[in-house]
Amino acid sequence: MLVLTRKTGEAIKIGDDIEITVISSSGDQVKLGIHAPKHVDIHRKEVYLNIQEENESASVGVADVFNLIRKP
């Protein structure tokens, strides 16, 4: 993990297309601005993990369905 120190208004770049700017900080909260291409999905980690879990749940049994379809 790379750890950086940034002040309000300062930014970091990820590759050529993504820029993260510190908008403000107060206590233990930091407000970030993220500038990225529209094709890049950006989620809070807990939302991302929930999406992954939902996708896994939705795909349960799909292999069985494909096996049923293939049988003559």
Side-chain angles (χ1 to χ4, degrees):
M1 174 187 302
L2 173 65
V3 178
L4 300 172
T5 301
R6 301 278 71 203
K7 295 179 182 177
T8 300
E10 294 181 334
I12 63 168
K13 291 282 288 180
I14 301 174
D16 293 329
D17 298 331
I18 300 172
E19 183 172 305
I20 301 173
T21 304
V22 178
I23 305 299
S24 66
S25 63
S26 176
D28 63 348
Q29 288 191 331
V30 177
K31 188 180 288 188
L32 302 173
I34 303 170
H35 186 268
K38 291 188 181 285
H39 70 273
V40 175
D41 292 333
I42 301 172
H43 302 285
R44 295 187 323 256
K45 184 175 180 178
E46 61 273 16
V47 171
Y48 175 81
L49 293 174
N50 190 31
I51 291 169
Q52 297 293 62
E53 187 177 300
E54 291 291 325
N55 286 342
E56 287 179 25
S57 296
S59 66
V60 171
V62 171
D64 294 334
V65 170
F66 285 129
N67 288 334
L68 290 173
I69 293 172
R70 290 185 192 145
K71 291 183 181 179

